[in-house]
Amino acid sequence: MESSVEVERGTAPIKEQFLTSKEKFHAFLDSGRPGQKSEDAEQDSGEPEQKRIRLDSEGAPEEPEKKEEKKKRMRGQNKSRPRMKPQSYEGRRLCPSIIQERDTKCFFGDKCRFLHDVSEYMRSKAEDLGEQCYLFNTFGKCQYGVTCRFAKAHTSAEMKNLVNADLYKPCGERETVRNHLDKDLQRRLRKKQVSFSGAEAFLKTISRGKKLEEDQRDQETQESAVPPVKTVGAITDADIIKLRPCEKKQVDFRDKLYLAPLTTCGNLPFRRVCKRFGADVTCGEMAMCTNLLQGQASEWALLKRHASEDLFGVQLEGCFPDTMTRCAELLNQNIDVDFVDINSGCPIDLVYKKGGGCGLMTRTTKFEQIVRGMNSVLDVPLTVKIRTGVQQNCNVAHKLIPEMKKWGVSLITLHGRSREQRYTKSADWDYIDTCSQLAAPVPLFGNGDILSYEDAMKARETGVSGIMVARGALIKPWLFTEIKESRHWDISSSERLDILRDFSNFGLEHWGSDTQGVEKTRSFLLEWLSFLCRYIPVGLLERVPQKINERPPFYMGRDYMESLMASQHVGDWIQISKRMSNGLLSSVVFCRLLLSSSVVVFFCCLLSSSVVFCLLLSSSVIFCRLCSEMLLGPVPKNFSFLPKHKANAYK
């Protein structure tokens, strides 16, 4: 039966009974926030004045010229968005020597800029968020002590940090996160005291004005005459024998589901969520090689690997052979990874204009030198991620792929769009199929527009060796389960809340449970929610599956939380982060008393932590009001957030 509702082009088809207008949609959400209307939520969002005016005038008719200008402004990134450092949300911070309860006094003494009086700190500390601490319950000890926002769970009356020995001893013996930056290595990097003998040996083979092949032939003829590099200690096989490509660590990439390296949103807690849903291969966020060589802690944090990531790689961005080769040698000696990926597909101007990202596809000589140089110093496979090309109607990937086979790459990932396209129009899977045949026997993964298991099945009908999932995983991380089980999952709002709760717990574990860690977790949660709001539940769709470039119209969900999750308003995302139910604070028992459709149903469950849940059932939707303890608590007074990315296909 065809719907009588006329669907606008580019809009997802939703069943008529769920469709609504913008005014009714926001009025319904406001009804779930007694005493707080949408204007207040908008004020809390911290959006710039110009952005708020645009949102307010969305419903008014626009002239064609203004509409086109507006569309151009909505592309790319919010480059002028407000930036708040997590530590700015706390006035005075406690000294680490006091938090960790060290026996020795603070090294800086009276000159220390942190507080040393616990009672003074507690007077200015924000209110605790709950009575149970995830870190304490999981590991037996919370390293944040009295600064933890759940400190009541593990501090004594004397403000001493408690330890659960039964949990702490077994947890302390295993390492859950690897690839930390060693302080001594950081010092040597900053003082430029790190040796890059392998990289220097390769860079000597590159001479200006000569082809790389000629240099390599000359090196091979003179190899026997060149004395070995002088070393200290006993001579080992590694000193005189170089690993052949066939002797390097081999990784079987075929038929794997690959979670793409996603800047900002592809953090470690998000990757843990995706691993739970069946992602086979994970990769860290794009890291700048120059920042890694300088020992920047924030950049090295992108290389961290969780114990659950059994097949893990890191992605490097750079535009010159010397820095990329040195960085590859540095990582090869100091971190544990299964492969290293070169980013040759990043479209943003900051990277492209320096010659990196997509710029490497037009600088084939430098690209070749980078690949060969990194291969010469790595003991793990080297992979490359590319796009179809730079210009929209000028594909060059099919010319590069045969050359990359000669250079020695172990895997090629191809995004079926050019740099100019960014994420507009559909990915060209016919072109990906052509390139996969050229790449054989080197495996080639296809990437673009995968949002359902049907999309994945169509992609596998081409000659690709596997599938990389990017935006699809951000919109619905359970996509990996759908693909492996070949089904559409009509996931409920409570199940989606569980996913957000898991992410929050992983975030508190990764970034910390103090004020700084809580606000950092909140900011990354909000970045992710800017993608999650694009998901449309399967049960509401007129046609299954949802396409990735179809924007959702205003619709009412099957319960209040499902409607709230569909909002594309920043203030509503903040409400989700504040009002999310915490299954670790208390075990919520849902009791539903179903009466006739015309009667309002009310039930209430009183729990140990005094959490009260109310459900109001009407004839069309379930009105679900969350009155629970807040997982991440109220936002600070000076809190502000604006999404990093502007959605090209969404208002």
Side-chain angles (χ1 to χ4, degrees):
M1 180 178 177
E2 294 185 0
S3 173
S4 59
V5 179
E6 193 173 317
V7 180
E8 183 184 350
R9 185 181 177 186
T11 304
I14 293 180
K15 293 176 182 178
E16 186 176 357
Q17 62 265 34
F18 296 105
L19 291 173
T20 187
S21 64
K22 176 184 176 182
E23 292 74 18
K24 291 180 179 179
F25 176 78
H26 286 295
F28 178 71
L29 294 185
D30 289 340
S31 66
R33 294 191 291 264
Q36 184 182 27
K37 300 299 181 183
S38 59
E39 290 82 7
D40 299 329
E42 190 171 322
Q43 186 71 22
D44 290 341
S45 68
E47 297 184 23
E49 190 68 27
Q50 186 180 3
K51 180 74 173 177
R52 289 203 294 269
I53 292 173
R54 274 210 303 272
L55 287 173
D56 291 339
S57 60
E58 279 178 359
E62 296 178 320
E63 297 177 5
E65 294 180 0
K66 291 183 178 179
K67 192 172 182 180
E68 184 65 27
E69 183 181 355
K70 177 180 175 181
K71 185 177 179 181
K72 289 182 180 179
R73 286 202 303 267
M74 290 298 290
R75 298 183 65 176
Q77 293 182 319
N78 288 312
K79 297 181 180 178
S80 59
R81 64 177 183 155
R83 298 177 183 274
M84 294 290 294
K85 293 184 177 180
Q87 56 264 35
S88 63
Y89 295 119
E90 198 171 22
R92 297 294 302 276
R93 298 168 63 191
L94 198 62
C95 180
S97 64
I98 304 298
I99 298 172
Q100 298 168 12
E101 300 178 354
R102 298 174 188 166
D103 296 330
T104 57
K105 292 184 177 181
C106 175
F107 175 79
F108 298 97
D110 296 335
K111 295 182 180 179
C112 181
R113 59 191 177 96
F114 298 115
L115 287 173
H116 289 77
D117 189 345
V118 176
S119 59
E120 183 182 351
Y121 170 78
M122 294 302 292
R123 285 195 294 269
S124 61
K125 181 191 172 185
E127 186 180 355
D128 276 6
L129 302 177
E131 297 180 357
Q132 297 295 321
C133 175
Y134 172 76
L135 300 183
F136 181 74
N137 292 343
T138 306
F139 302 103
K141 181 181 179 180
C142 177
Q143 60 179 325
Y144 299 95
V146 294
T147 63
C148 174
R149 295 297 297 276
F150 306 89
K152 293 178 183 177
H154 50 76
T155 52
S156 64
E158 295 79 20
M159 291 299 167
K160 296 294 183 182
N161 201 21
L162 302 177
V163 178
N164 184 339
D166 295 335
L167 277 176
Y168 183 65
K169 187 174 181 181
C171 290
E173 294 175 354
R174 66 174 186 268
E175 188 180 27
T176 56
V177 178
R178 287 171 279 176
N179 299 345
H180 296 277
L181 174 60
D182 182 69
K183 288 294 182 183
D184 180 63
L185 176 62
Q186 184 181 39
R187 180 188 60 80
R188 290 189 291 118
L189 284 171
R190 288 176 176 176
K191 293 187 176 183
K192 297 184 179 180
Q193 296 176 345
V194 177
S195 172
F196 300 100
S197 56
E200 296 301 329
F202 171 79
L203 294 173
K204 287 179 181 178
T205 66
I206 303 175
S207 61
R208 189 173 298 173
K210 289 186 179 181
K211 292 183 179 180
L212 188 62
E213 290 85 355
E214 295 177 358
D215 294 337
Q216 287 181 333
R217 284 197 295 268
D218 294 341
Q219 184 188 14
E220 289 174 2
T221 56
Q222 299 173 6
E223 192 173 15
S224 57
V226 177
V229 179
K230 292 183 179 181
T231 58
V232 178
I235 297 177
T236 63
D237 291 343
D239 293 324
I240 56 177
I241 302 175
K242 185 179 178 180
L243 286 175
R244 294 177 296 173
C246 62
E247 295 175 329
K248 287 188 176 183
K249 178 181 179 180
Q250 300 297 313
V251 176
D252 183 14
F253 291 103
R254 296 183 186 276
D255 297 322
K256 297 285 195 303
L257 288 178
Y258 187 168
L259 173 63
L262 302 163
T263 306
T264 303
C265 292
N267 45 67
L268 186 144
F270 175 75
R271 298 198 304 269
R272 289 182 65 182
V273 170
C274 291
K275 282 297 294 183
R276 284 191 169 188
F277 284 111
D280 297 315
V281 185
T282 55
C283 187
E285 302 172 63
M286 178 184 72
M288 303 284 188
C289 66
T290 50
N291 294 343
L292 293 173
L293 290 170
Q294 292 169 5
Q296 291 188 14
S298 59
E299 207 73 18
W300 276 81
L302 304 178
L303 311 179
K304 288 184 179 179
R305 173 183 189 172
H306 191 262
S308 62
E309 298 180 274
D310 48 355
L311 190 50
F312 173 77
V314 295
Q315 187 182 68
L316 298 181
E317 184 281 322
C319 46
F320 297 107
D322 55 345
T323 53
M324 289 289 278
T325 306
R326 290 189 183 101
C327 188
E329 184 175 5
L330 176 68
L331 300 187
N332 190 65
Q333 296 172 353
N334 294 282
I335 67 172
D336 175 27
V337 292
D338 298 303
F339 64 93
V340 175
D341 185 65
I342 299 175
N343 186 326
S344 184
C346 183
I348 64 174
D349 294 339
L350 180 67
V351 173
Y352 175 75
K353 288 181 178 179
K354 294 190 301 182
C358 280
L360 285 176
M361 298 184 69
T362 61
R363 304 166 65 233
T364 52
T365 302
K366 293 293 183 186
F367 197 1
E368 179 182 2
Q369 292 172 351
I370 288 172
V371 173
R372 291 188 183 276
M374 293 178 70
N375 248 334
S376 68
V377 296
L378 285 173
D379 297 333
V380 295
L382 180 67
T383 67
V384 177
K385 187 176 187 294
I386 61 175
R387 284 180 175 249
T388 58
V390 177
Q391 284 78 28
Q392 185 169 341
N393 297 316
C394 186
N395 296 335
V396 297
H398 63 283
K399 299 177 182 178
L400 275 175
I401 287 172
E403 296 300 317
M404 287 192 284
K405 289 166 60 178
K406 300 176 184 177
W407 302 344
V409 298
S410 300
L411 170 72
I412 301 169
T413 306
L414 177 59
H415 183 178
R417 292 184 179 89
S418 64
R419 176 182 180 266
E420 282 187 353
Q421 283 179 269
R422 294 291 178 99
Y423 298 100
T424 60
K425 299 185 179 181
S426 299
D428 191 348
W429 277 91
D430 291 334
Y431 183 69
I432 294 176
D433 186 18
T434 302
C435 291
S436 67
Q437 297 172 18
L438 294 173
V442 175
L444 184 140
F445 274 47
N447 171 226
D449 298 347
I450 305 295
L451 191 61
S452 66
Y453 87 88
E454 292 181 6
D455 295 332
M457 287 176 63
K458 290 179 181 178
R460 282 174 169 168
E461 290 174 0
T462 64
V464 296
S465 304
I467 299 169
M468 173 180 277
V469 183
R471 284 183 300 162
L474 292 173
I475 296 171
K476 43 188 282 191
W478 55 92
L479 174 60
F480 300 101
T481 301
E482 289 188 349
I483 294 174
K484 290 191 172 182
E485 297 180 1
S486 299
R487 66 183 177 101
H488 296 296
W489 185 354
D490 190 7
I491 190 169
S492 66
S493 60
S494 61
E495 290 175 309
R496 291 163 69 188
L497 272 174
D498 288 339
I499 297 171
L500 295 179
R501 186 193 64 233
D502 288 340
F503 176 86
S504 298
N505 290 333
F506 296 157
L508 295 175
E509 179 184 339
H510 184 59
W511 291 301
S513 59
D514 56 352
T515 299
Q516 182 176 342
V518 167
E519 296 312 319
K520 202 164 188 178
T521 301
R522 191 197 306 276
S523 65
F524 282 106
L525 174 63
L526 293 174
E527 292 284 3
W528 184 23
L529 284 170
S530 68
F531 287 91
L532 279 174
C533 67
R534 306 181 194 179
Y535 170 72
I536 304 174
V538 174
L540 276 60
L541 288 169
E542 187 75 36
R543 167 187 49 77
V544 178
Q546 175 188 357
K547 299 298 181 183
I548 200 165
N549 282 336
E550 290 178 341
R551 67 179 181 271
F554 287 101
Y555 67 89
M556 294 290 193
R558 292 163 293 189
D559 54 55
Y560 180 79
M561 184 52 63
E562 195 167 77
S563 300
L564 186 63
M565 287 180 170
S567 175
Q568 296 183 28
H569 195 284
V570 178
D572 292 324
W573 305 340
I574 294 175
Q575 289 300 316
I576 294 173
S577 75
K578 288 166 59 178
R579 302 174 61 173
M580 209 160 40
S581 58
N582 184 5
L584 291 160
L585 298 179
S586 57
S587 58
V588 179
V589 181
F590 289 95
C591 301
R592 298 190 178 184
L593 182 61
L594 299 179
L595 300 176
S596 63
S597 60
S598 60
V599 179
V600 176
V601 178
F602 171 84
F603 75 86
C604 176
C605 298
L606 293 177
L607 305 174
S608 57
S609 62
S610 301
V611 180
V612 179
F613 276 81
C614 300
L615 247 70
L616 300 176
L617 179 60
S618 65
S619 59
S620 58
V621 294
I622 298 175
F623 178 81
C624 188
R625 180 178 300 174
L626 293 177
C627 303
S628 64
E629 298 254 3
M630 300 176 185
L631 178 60
L632 296 178
V635 296
K637 292 181 180 180
N638 57 342
F639 180 82
S640 63
F641 174 78
L642 190 64
K644 179 178 181 180
H645 297 283
K646 300 175 185 176
N648 214 17
Y650 303 90
K651 295 180 181 178

